[in-house]
């Protein structure tokens, strides 16, 4: 755990009054500054959400403590009689302000322990002593919390802003105590209400308020709630729309099963296996058929033949062999052939959890699809039952719901977190400025690295202890105290250095402090140079501190140069000091000391040299390789060599440590945290060698793997990423505490709800607990963690709903929402903010786009490669052809045509068939066309020489390479045939890269690709850091699990214990596909773990592993959980999420080049909009000539209340649409039908009123009105068709009626008109669509290439009963391009992609025949194919979507601010009368009619009233809610009621023309306007 938490707890426990707005990295410095600068009560700054102006989120006792324990700020009287000086209250105030947070934390921890000791399988009746003891502890804890609440209430009062319930955390405490009171009251009355009892699991939340850094992080989260609420509303929108569509289309369809014919009879003695066809006994994954009226994929004719004992049944029920002798000859009846009638049954898949029978179950399904776990299976069910094209619904749902909505959650949290962090930092700077003191340095500089701060603190304490001990020693001996040291000589010159111990550091004028290990102090912030201001500084010499600071910012070479300079200056200083001191005759000790110092100087030069560091780096590399070649079944000689090499390398690293200790000195060595790391590894390695007697695996042996991390710091390219990692560690440590608290609370809650209720039937019929259960705290935590990784969480959901009730889904939805989409996105936000903080610092731009574009003005380059130069005329013709705009379009058309032919390629096309001939000829044609294009370009541009030459552009190099490959492909296919089939196959694979030529012809796509290419370097750095962790965990996995992932495969393995037993029983001894037998296999298994798909099964295999050649035993070693969960936390959640930070940071850097142009465009756009607003404000309103009735209708249509009424109607309509469900009663049908009539009539009336008010032209100008009209027309058409169908006057296809009912859902879109927050988010998404469209094109290109490659590589893989598949199926195959495309979409979402890869890794059996196609090379090609695709699709391209959304959200926030500023400016101009009217008299508003703005009879006053109202827009403004506050600042219409005689008709018209503002008060304007017209008439 990072020390910020330790220091923050230290601060809270010792009552250092740290300002509440400090972020976790500042807590270290807060520990040093707060004693000198207590924050006064009124100065607590509102830094986070929920902060009030008085206290903020600070605890009440903190407030009292800051006030000195008493207080003018406390309520003078509480409970009507208790003053601050009254005895009970004064005691309570003292108790609250006394230092007792430690006691609170101890009680909270005790509460966590007692909650965790709950055992749901044993504590049902609570008859054991253990249970009674836990109950007693629980009662004690409750009493303690209740007393704490009472004491605080007496001290602070109950109600009021400054009282107990005025604080959010106190309200949480109050809720917990009161719910406990209800629980104990019901217990006394023997009423067991478990729902109330589960509230006690919230008690650990009290810990948040007691840990300052965690409280700050929670407040940062609360800051994001307003915008997150809009995102959740948008998600709710998506859920409603897709849910109602699902219910309308597929209600009841997933119940379809294949039954027997109705008149089916059985002869005596025979029994059917099941009433309908079941592929499995438990009917978990049923066979769903399509009804006659639907067009699903599966019908009852597709039911496979029955198999028993591994053989296919082939007998009929009338067969003469069916007389009892069938079993003796191995024959059986194929009952499956009689299941021929598709009928709607009673049960749904997965224990009834998956269906679209009503809106609630549809929401559960949609939520599961959005989480991308198990969605493919649901899609297959629906495709089987209804239509193949239903995949469109799921793909749209995933793109909108998962890729946009969920990433929008991340974008909102990251954006808000960054803004709040900057605000917190600014507030901290202000507080530090207020606390500035000349007596302490810590308040004058930025908070340093936590290790540095603690190191200085320890050295300061040790130095003070030494001074006091020396003074005591002198006092005891009667010596006078030594004179005070002369200030200004520096720490090295103080008179403390003649002794030993600390004095060696103080006397280290000859101890140069190393700045290297080149990155040694890359995370240490500069240490102040002036020792006078730093009583806390360490005793190391000042030049050492300078070296530490220099190494934090310099490169490796710069650090070395600075050290050399400092060494020379140091020697000069030594000479100068020596000149002022009388030289004494050197003793023998002095001469030895000189020799020693001289030797240390030479050692310093050695250990700081680049050759020494390179030697150490090479040693670490070789050591890493030696650890990595360990594998299963390795020879004994290799084991001995590795042990000897370990001793050699340990000796080398020990020697390195001794040399550095000698050169730098003890404390100077310890100042560098990397040296601490190296020293710990060396000490552990030495202890391991000494303590290792039998040569087996020791616990200490695993620590030598940490040497790999030493490699990282020798790579300068990784420096920045490491710095960001280290800077975010404080926040990450706090996040980990928050995550542990969250997991603990949900684990306890899960134990209370699902404890001892998850069971599983084995193949032998026994009932055993499911491995994913809540039966104990350990497995509850593992299950909750598994759900947070989204792996197989749907299976836990199915079990929970089946074992309790469907309401159990709320638990899992809450866990996924708060854990995955809020907490883990907070972690990503922390990392993104860390990278963005680096971007904000002065940095260089890494994005330089200099694409070589084709230009008609080509330089006269030489036609190189020893070819004769073509005639100038011919070359000019070629140049003119290339410069012609149509040329690129023609080439693009040919590329697309070629893509179609590439997509048609399949391995199973017969040679000589018409399709094969067509594809071969088209390949020749396209190759000839592309050769001709390349020739034209080379002739016109030159091949190489010249700036515009063909090969000067990387895109042209790509084109030329692909043309060259195509030519070789044709030559080889003509010449070689079957002899060189391997070369031909490789060339055919390369042919699939031809679509890459599209990139250079699409400018938007080209820009995205170039941006990604510039990101390769930082992404590569992250990949290197990932590789370091992968290698560490891979080597550790090999040492832990090599040879242990084998198991016995057979029908009955209960009594099998090892390999020999298995082989004796004639079973197979096989290993799991993902294992740790060598480093390569381990890295592949770890990649599957890191992708979080299929990691649970690998973890189970590791837990069950017993030993080499031993049969696994369930949960044999639960300690192995630490390996898998720590890998997921470190790599999957932390390091891999740095991909997001890197891509976002690089995207922002690339945008910096365009910031100037964008700012100019934005300013120009703002100026144009401002002018338009001014012109609109001056125009006479279109409704000035309306009649009174039409004006009244116009007033009605533009009033805010009409929108509210329509919104209410739509909400009721949505609820009625949601009430539809499968097999609903006829009465509900009728009620919904009449409701639909009413709603349709309302919308028709609204549309007619608006048409009357605005006229056709203005009505259709507004997009919302167009939507309204479309909804009305669809509704009327749907009602008409339903009535026609009901009366049976015309035959109407039921599908058309169903579609019309589905289209009714468009009414929900009208709600967006009122939801401004949601609409702002949608605007962000719409603005981002062009760039996201380019990303979509890149996705399509990536999918196209990989799909074509997949068809070539895996098109012949077989999946059947004899060769079962785990991921591939009849729905997920690579047989043709379309299915390969869909399969790759599944892989990109991460749903069971490891199962698909596992199927492609099948080893070729020795006796495989013609029906089983097998390619041994797939063992190596397949991992490369899938890993590269998953890396590109899941980790890079998706993160670019996040970067684009973040950028556009930022832009939309800026535009909203500009819009508000413009409207305020217009209103100000209108209020001051600065705008001229455009009436017939041309009267100007400036100074006319006397009194100015708002004066008696002043036109400006009328302008103010007009500005308030303006209802001139045909519909209410989309920005109405943003500017309602402005309307309240202007005088109302009654202000001018007595001045009607001052206005001419033109001026009255002008009064109506000052509009375009809030519609909230528009009706008052129309009232005044009508009255004035009437008075003038």
């Amino acid at each position: 755990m990072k020390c910020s938490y330790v220091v923050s707890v230290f601060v809270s426990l010792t009552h250092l009054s740290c300002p509440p707005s400090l972020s976790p990295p500042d807590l270290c410095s807060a520990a040093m500054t707060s004693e000198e600068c207590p924050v006064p009560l009124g100065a607590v700054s509102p830094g986070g959400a929920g902060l009030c102006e008085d206290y903020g989120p600070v605890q009440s006792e903190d407030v009292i403590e800051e006030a000195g324990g008493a207080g003018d700020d406390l309520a003078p009287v509480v409970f009507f009689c208790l003053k601050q000086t009254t005895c009970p209250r004064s005691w309570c105030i003292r108790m609250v302000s006394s230092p007792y947070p430690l006691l609170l934390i101890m009680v909270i921890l005790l509460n966590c322990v007692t909650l965790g000791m709950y055992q749901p399988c044993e504590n049902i009746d609570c008859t054991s002593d253990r249970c009674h003891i836990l109950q007693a502890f629980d009662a004690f804890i409750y009493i303690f919390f209740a007393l704490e609440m009472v004491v605080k209430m007496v001290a602070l009062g109950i109600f009021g802003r400054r009282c107990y319930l005025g604080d959010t955390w106190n309200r949480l405490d109050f809720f917990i105590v009161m719910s406990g009171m209800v629980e104990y009251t019901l217990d006394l009355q023997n009423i067991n209400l478990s729902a109330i009892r589960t509230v006690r699991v919230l008690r650990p939340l009290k810990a948040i308020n007691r840990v300052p850094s965690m409280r700050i992080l929670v407040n940062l989260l609360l800051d994001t709630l307003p915008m997150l609420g809009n995102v959740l509303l948008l998600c709710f929108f998506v859920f409603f729309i897709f849910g109602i569509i699902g219910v309308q289309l597929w209600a009841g369809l997933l119940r379809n099963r294949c039954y027997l014919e109705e008149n089916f009879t059985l002869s005596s003695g025979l029994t059917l296996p099941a009433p309908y066809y079941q592929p499995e006994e438990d009917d978990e994954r049923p066979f769903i058929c399509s009804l006659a009226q639907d067009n699903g994929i599966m019908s009852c004719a597709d039911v496979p033949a029955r198999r028993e004992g591994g053989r296919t049944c082939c007998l009929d029920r009338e067969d003469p062999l069916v007389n009892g002798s069938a079993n003796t000859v191995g024959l059986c009846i194929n009952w499956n052939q009689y299941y021929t009638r598709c009928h709607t049954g009673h049960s749904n898949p997965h224990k009834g959890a998956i269906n679209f029978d009503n809106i609630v179950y549809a929401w559960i399904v949609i939520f599961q699809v959005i989480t991308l776990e198990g969605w493919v299976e649901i899609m297959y069910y629906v495709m089987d039952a209804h239509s193949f094209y239903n995949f469109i619904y799921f793909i749209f749902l995933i793109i909108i719901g998962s890729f946009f909505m969920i990433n929008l959650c991340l974008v909102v949290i990251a954006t808000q977190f960054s803004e709040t962090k900057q605000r917190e930092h600014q507030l901290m700077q202000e507080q530090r400025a207020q606390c500035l003191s000349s007596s302490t340095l810590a308040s004058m500089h930025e908070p340093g690295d936590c290790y540095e701060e603690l190191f200085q603190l320890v050295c300061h304490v040790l130095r003070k202890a030494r001074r006091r001990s020396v003074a005591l020693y002198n006092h005891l001996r009667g010596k006078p105290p030594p004179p005070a040291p002369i200030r200004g000589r520096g720490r090295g010159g103080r008179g403390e250095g003649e002794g030993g111990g600390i004095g060696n550091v103080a006397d280290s004028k000859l101890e140069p402090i190393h700045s290297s290990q080149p990155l040694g102090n890359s995370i240490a912030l500069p240490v102040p140079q002036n020792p006078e201001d730093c009583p806390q500084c360490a005793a190391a010499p000042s030049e050492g501190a300078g070296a530490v600071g220099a190494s934090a910012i310099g490169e490796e070479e710069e650090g070395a140069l600075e050290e050399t300079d400092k060494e020379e200056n140091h020697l000069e200083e030594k000479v100068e000091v020596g000149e002022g001191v009388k030289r004494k005759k050197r003793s023998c000790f002095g001469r030895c000391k000189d020799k020693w110092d001289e030797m240390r100087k030479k050692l310093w030069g050695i250990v700081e040299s680049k050759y020494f560091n390179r030697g150490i780096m090479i040693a670490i590399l070789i050591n890493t390789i030696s650890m990595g070649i360990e594998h299963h079944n390795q020879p004994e000689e290799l084991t001995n060599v590795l042990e000897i090499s370990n001793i050699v390398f340990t000796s080398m690293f020990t020697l390195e440590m001794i040399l550095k200790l000698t050169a730098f000195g003890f404390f100077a060595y310890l100042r560098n945290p990397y040296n601490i790391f190296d020293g710990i590894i060396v000490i552990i390695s030495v202890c391991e060698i000494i303590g290792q007697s039998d040569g087996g695996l020791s616990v200490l042996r695993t620590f030598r793997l940490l040497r790999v991390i030493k490699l990282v710091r020798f790579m300068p390219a990784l420096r920045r990423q490491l710095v960001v990692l280290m800077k975010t560690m404080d926040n990450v440590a706090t996040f980990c505490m928050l995550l542990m608290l969250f997991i603990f609370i949900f684990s306890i809650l899960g134990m209370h709800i699902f404890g001892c209720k998850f069971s599983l039937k084995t193949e032998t019929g026994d009932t055993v607990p499911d491995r994913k259960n809540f039966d104990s705290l350990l497995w509850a935590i593992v299950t909750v963690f598994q759900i947070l990784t989204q792996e197989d969480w749907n299976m836990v959901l199915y079990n929970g709903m089946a074992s309790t009730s469907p309401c159990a889904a709320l638990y899992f939805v809450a866990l996924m929402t708060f854990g995955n989409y809020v907490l883990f996105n907070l972690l990503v936000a922390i990392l993104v903010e860390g990278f963005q903080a680096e971007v904000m610092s002065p940095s260089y731009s890494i994005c330089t786009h200099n694409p070589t574009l084709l230009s008609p003005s080509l330089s006269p380059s030489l036609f190189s490669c020893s070819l004769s130069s073509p005639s100038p005329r011919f070359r000019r013709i070629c140049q003119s052809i290339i410069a012609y705009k149509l040329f690129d379009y023609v080439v693009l058309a040919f590329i697309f045509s070629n893509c179609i032919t590439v997509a048609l390629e399949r391995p199973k096309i017969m040679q000589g068939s018409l399709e094969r001939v067509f594809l071969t000829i088209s390949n020749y044609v396209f190759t000839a066309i592309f050769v001709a294009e390349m020739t034209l370009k080379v002739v016109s541009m030159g091949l190489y020489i010249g700036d515009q030459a063909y090969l000067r552009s990387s895109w042209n190099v790509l084109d030329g390479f692909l043309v060259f490959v195509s030519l070789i492909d044709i030559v080889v296919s003509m010449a070689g045939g079957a002899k060189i089939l391997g070369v031909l196959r490789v060339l055919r694979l390369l042919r699939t890269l031809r679509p890459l030529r599209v990139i250079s012809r699409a400018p938007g796509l080209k820009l995205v690709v170039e941006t990604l290419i510039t990101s390769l370097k930082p992404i590569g750095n992250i990949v290197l850091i990932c590789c370091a962790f992968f290698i560490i965990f891979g080597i550790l996995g090999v040492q832990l699990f090599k040879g242990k992932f084998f198991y016995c495969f057979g029908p009955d393995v209960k009594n099998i214990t090892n390999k020999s037993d298995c082989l004796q029983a004639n079973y197979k001894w096989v290993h799991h596909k993902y294992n740790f037998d060598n480093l390569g296999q381990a890295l592949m298994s770890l990649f599957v773990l890191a992708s979080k798909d299929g990691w649970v099964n690998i973890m189970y295999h590791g837990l069950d592993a017993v030993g080499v050649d031993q049969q696994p035993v369930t949960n044999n070693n639960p300690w192995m959980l630490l390996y898998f969960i720590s890998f997921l936390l470190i790599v999957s959640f932390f390091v891999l999420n740095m991909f997001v930070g890197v891509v976002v940071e690089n995207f922002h850097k690339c945008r910096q080049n365009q910031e100037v142009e964008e700012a100019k465009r934005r300013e120009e756009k703002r100026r144009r909009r401002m002018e338009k607003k001014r012109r609109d404000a001056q125009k006479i309103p279109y409704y000035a000539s309306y009649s009174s009735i039409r004006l009244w209708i116009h007033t009605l249509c533009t009033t805010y209340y009409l929108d509210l009424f329509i919104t209410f109607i739509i909400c009721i309509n949505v609820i009625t649409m949601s009430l539809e469900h499968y097999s609903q009663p006829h009465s509900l049908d009728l009620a919904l039908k009449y409701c639909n009539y009413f709603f349709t009539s309302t919308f028709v009336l609204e549309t007619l009123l608006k048409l009357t008010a605005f006229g056709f032209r203005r009505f259709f100008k507004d997009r919302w009105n167009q939507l309204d009209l479309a909804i009305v027309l669809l509704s009327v058409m749907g009602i008409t068709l339903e009535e026609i169908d009901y009366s049976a006057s015309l035959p109407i296809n039921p599908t058309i009626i169903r579609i019309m009912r589905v289209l009714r859902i468009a009414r929900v879109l009208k709600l967006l008109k009122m939801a401004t927050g949601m609409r702002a988010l949608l605007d962000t998404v719409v603005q981002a669509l062009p760039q996201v469209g380019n990303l979509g094109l890149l996705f399509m290109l990536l999918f196209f290439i990989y799909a074509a490659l997949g068809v070539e590589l895996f098109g012949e893989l077989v999946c059947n009963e004899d060769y079962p598949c785990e991921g591939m199926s009849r729905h997920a195959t690579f047989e043709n391009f379309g299915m390969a495309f869909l399969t790759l979409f599944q892989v990109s979402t991460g749903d069971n992609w490891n199962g698909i890869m596992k199927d492609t890794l099948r080893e070729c059996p020795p006796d495989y025949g013609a029906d089983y196609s097998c390619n041994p090379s797939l063992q190596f090609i397949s991992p490369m194919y899938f890993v590269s695709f998953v890396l590109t699709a899941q980790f890079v391209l998706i993160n670019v979507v996040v970067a684009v959304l973040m950028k556009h959200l930022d832009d939309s926030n800026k535009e909203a601010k500009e819009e508000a500023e413009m409207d305020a400016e217009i209103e100000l101009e209108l209020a001051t009368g600065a705008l001229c009217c455009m009436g017939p008299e041309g009267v100007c508003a400036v100074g006319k009619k006397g009194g100015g703005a708002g004066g008696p009879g002043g036109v400006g006053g009328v302008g103010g009233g007009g500005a308030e109202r303006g209802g001139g827009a045909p519909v209410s403004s989309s920005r109405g809610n943003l500017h309602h506050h402005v309307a309240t600042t202007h005088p109302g219409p009654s202000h001018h009621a007595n001045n009607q005689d001052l206005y001419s008709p033109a001026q009255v018209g002008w009064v109506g023309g000052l509009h375009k503002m809030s519609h909230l008060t528009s009706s008052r304007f129309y009232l005044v306007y009508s009255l004035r017209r009437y008075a003038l008439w």
Side-chain angles (χ1 to χ4, degrees), residues 43-95:
V44 179
S45 176
L51 299 176
C52 69
E53 60 185 6
D54 304 290
Y55 298 131
V58 188
Q59 233 182 313
S60 306
E61 59 261 31
D62 297 339
V63 175
I64 295 173
E65 179 192 336
E66 289 170 0
D72 300 330
D73 291 318
L74 296 178
V77 178
V78 298
F79 294 105
F80 304 105
C81 60
L82 296 179
K83 297 181 181 179
Q84 293 184 15
T85 54
T86 310
C87 267
R89 191 177 179 203
S90 61
W91 295 342
C92 291
I93 290 174
R94 277 201 295 272
M95 288 176 66

Side-chain angles (χ1 to χ4, degrees), residues 753-1057:
I753 299 173
F754 308 112
C756 221
K757 292 181 181 175
F758 287 6
S759 59
L760 191 68
K761 280 193 176 181
T762 60
E763 295 177 357
T764 55
D766 300 331
T767 302
V768 296
D770 195 333
R771 299 196 72 162
K772 308 174 185 70
N773 60 63
F774 292 87
D775 297 349
S776 65
L777 181 62
L778 172 66
W779 286 106
I781 289 175
V782 172
T783 306
V784 168
F785 184 77
Q786 173 194 334
I787 293 169
L788 288 179
T789 63
Q790 301 185 19
E791 168 59 14
D792 268 356
W793 81 270
N794 53 324
M795 296 300 170
V796 191
L797 169 75
Y798 304 153
N799 284 339
M801 291 173 68
S803 60
T804 55
S805 76
C807 295
L810 291 174
Y811 170 87
F812 297 98
V813 170
L815 175 56
M816 289 286 292
T817 304
F818 293 120
N820 233 312
Y821 303 136
V822 177
L823 262 187
F824 280 130
N825 282 343
L826 177 64
L827 173 63
V828 180
I830 289 170
L831 295 173
V832 169
E833 193 271 336
F835 278 100
Q836 283 184 336
E838 290 293 311
V839 175
M840 297 297 289
S841 61
S843 58
Y844 61 93
S845 176
I846 59 171
C847 284
T848 52
H849 297 302
N850 292 315
T852 307
L853 300 173
L854 296 177
S855 170
S857 56
L858 297 169
S859 60
S861 59
L862 297 174
F863 196 71
S864 55
C865 292
S866 303
L867 296 177
S868 59
S869 180
S871 65
R873 184 182 175 189
F874 177 63
R875 190 174 183 191
R876 279 198 297 273
I877 292 172
C878 293
Q879 290 175 0
S880 62
I881 292 173
I882 290 175
Y884 196 54
K885 194 173 183 180
L886 195 61
F887 178 79
D888 278 339
Y889 290 121
V890 171
V891 172
L892 202 57
F894 280 121
I895 291 173
F896 279 122
S897 305
N898 190 18
C899 289
I900 294 172
T901 60
V902 169
L904 291 174
E905 284 280 358
R906 297 189 313 280
K908 294 182 179 179
I909 301 176
M910 299 296 296
Q911 290 293 333
S913 65
L914 184 62
E915 191 177 2
R916 172 53 63 201
V917 171
F918 168 74
L919 291 175
T920 305
I921 293 174
S922 64
N923 182 35
Y924 295 160
V925 171
F926 287 121
T927 303
I929 290 170
F930 296 141
V931 167
E933 180 217 4
M934 178 181 169
T935 307
L936 276 174
K937 287 186 177 179
V938 169
V939 168
S940 62
M941 304 164 68
L943 184 63
Y944 186 73
I945 298 176
D947 292 337
Q948 300 290 335
Y950 184 80
L951 293 180
R952 293 288 183 181
S953 167
S954 54
W955 299 108
N956 287 340
V957 171
L958 176 65
D959 287 356
F961 170 73
L962 294 173
V963 169
F964 184 65
V965 166
S966 302
L967 287 173
I968 295 178
D969 177 25
I970 291 174
V971 171
V972 169
S973 61
M974 285 181 171
K979 295 180 182 177
I980 43 178
L981 193 61
V983 179
L984 189 63
R985 187 179 180 83
V986 171
L987 293 172
R988 189 170 289 172
L989 292 178
L990 288 174
R991 196 192 300 169
T992 60
L993 299 177
R994 283 183 187 172
L996 287 174
R997 296 164 58 93
V998 174
I999 297 174
S1000 60
R1001 275 107 183 148
L1005 190 59
K1006 189 175 179 181
L1007 182 65
V1008 171
V1009 172
E1010 286 175 345
T1011 304
L1012 282 176
I1013 288 172
T1014 58
S1015 304
L1016 285 181
K1017 184 180 178 183
I1019 288 175
N1021 292 337
I1022 296 296
V1023 169
L1024 282 175
I1025 294 176
C1026 287
C1027 286
F1029 283 104
F1030 268 79
I1031 289 170
I1032 290 171
F1033 278 94
I1035 295 172
L1036 180 57
V1038 171
Q1039 293 181 359
L1040 290 173
F1041 303 118
K1042 63 178 179 182
K1044 298 180 182 178
F1045 271 45
F1046 285 80
Y1047 66 100
C1048 190
F1049 180 73
D1052 184 16
V1053 293
K1054 269 188 177 180
N1055 300 320
I1056 304 295
T1057 57

Side-chain angles (χ1 to χ4, degrees), residues 503-558:
N504 289 338
V505 183
D507 187 48
S508 55
K509 289 180 285 187
L510 295 174
E511 293 180 7
I513 307 297
H514 62 301
S515 69
S516 187
Q517 310 292 334
L519 301 178
N521 278 309
S522 60
I523 60 168
L525 295 198
V527 176
Q529 301 293 323
N530 189 358
E532 291 183 18
D533 299 325
C534 185
Q536 284 97 357
C537 290
S542 59
E543 55 266 32
V548 171
S551 64
I553 52 175
E555 295 294 330
E556 187 175 344
E557 295 80 12
E558 292 172 359

Side-chain angles (χ1 to χ4, degrees), residues 675-828:
N675 289 340
I676 300 285
F677 180 72
D678 293 350
I680 291 172
I681 293 175
V682 167
I683 293 169
I684 290 175
S685 301
V686 171
C687 292
E688 180 230 329
I689 290 174
I690 294 172
Q692 192 175 8
S693 56
D694 57 350
L697 177 70
S698 78
V699 177
L700 298 177
R701 186 176 181 183
T702 58
F703 284 94
R704 73 168 84 147
L705 301 172
L706 297 176
R707 294 173 190 165
V708 180
I709 296 180
K710 291 177 66 173
L711 259 185
V712 175
R713 79 168 204 256
F714 287 104
M715 301 178 184
L718 304 183
R719 176 174 310 190
R720 237 178 107 263
Q721 272 75 15
L722 279 177
V723 170
V724 173
L725 267 177
M726 296 301 178
K727 281 186 178 178
T728 57
M729 281 306 292
D730 290 308
N731 279 328
V732 169
T734 308
F735 164 80
C736 287
M737 286 192 293
L738 203 57
L739 178 66
M740 286 190 290
L741 186 64
F742 178 83
I743 290 176
F744 179 79
I745 289 173
F746 268 91
S747 302
I748 301 294
L749 188 58
M751 288 166 64
H752 280 84
I753 299 173
F754 308 112
C756 221
K757 292 181 181 175
F758 287 6
S759 59
L760 191 68
K761 280 193 176 181
T762 60
E763 295 177 357
T764 55
D766 300 331
T767 302
V768 296
D770 195 333
R771 299 196 72 162
K772 308 174 185 70
N773 60 63
F774 292 87
D775 297 349
S776 65
L777 181 62
L778 172 66
W779 286 106
I781 289 175
V782 172
T783 306
V784 168
F785 184 77
Q786 173 194 334
I787 293 169
L788 288 179
T789 63
Q790 301 185 19
E791 168 59 14
D792 268 356
W793 81 270
N794 53 324
M795 296 300 170
V796 191
L797 169 75
Y798 304 153
N799 284 339
M801 291 173 68
S803 60
T804 55
S805 76
C807 295
L810 291 174
Y811 170 87
F812 297 98
V813 170
L815 175 56
M816 289 286 292
T817 304
F818 293 120
N820 233 312
Y821 303 136
V822 177
L823 262 187
F824 280 130
N825 282 343
L826 177 64
L827 173 63
V828 180

Side-chain angles (χ1 to χ4, degrees), residues 1409-1424:
D1411 61 332
Y1412 183 80
S1413 176
C1414 187
N1415 185 359
S1417 63
L1418 290 184
Q1419 292 284 328
F1420 308 99
I1421 297 174
S1422 178
M1424 293 166 56

Side-chain angles (χ1 to χ4, degrees), residues 1261-1311:
K1261 269 187 180 179
D1262 190 274
R1263 298 282 177 88
W1264 292 108
N1265 291 341
Q1266 295 172 13
L1267 176 66
D1268 291 352
L1269 186 63
I1271 289 170
V1272 165
L1273 292 176
L1274 285 173
S1275 301
V1276 172
M1277 198 184 306
I1279 290 175
T1280 307
L1281 288 175
E1282 282 184 7
E1283 288 300 321
I1284 291 173
D1285 182 62
Y1286 184 72
S1287 60
S1289 55
L1290 283 174
I1292 303 291
N1293 190 336
T1295 308
I1296 296 175
I1297 295 177
R1298 191 182 291 177
I1299 290 172
M1300 296 306 297
R1301 292 169 68 86
V1302 166
L1303 291 176
R1304 274 190 222 155
I1305 194 62
R1307 297 173 187 173
V1308 182
L1309 298 176
K1310 288 167 68 76
L1311 287 175

Side-chain angles (χ1 to χ4, degrees), residues 1426-1440:
F1426 284 101
V1427 168
S1428 61
F1429 180 78
V1430 169
L1431 265 178
T1432 311
Q1434 289 186 21
F1435 293 127
V1436 178
L1437 291 183
I1438 294 293
N1439 292 335
V1440 179

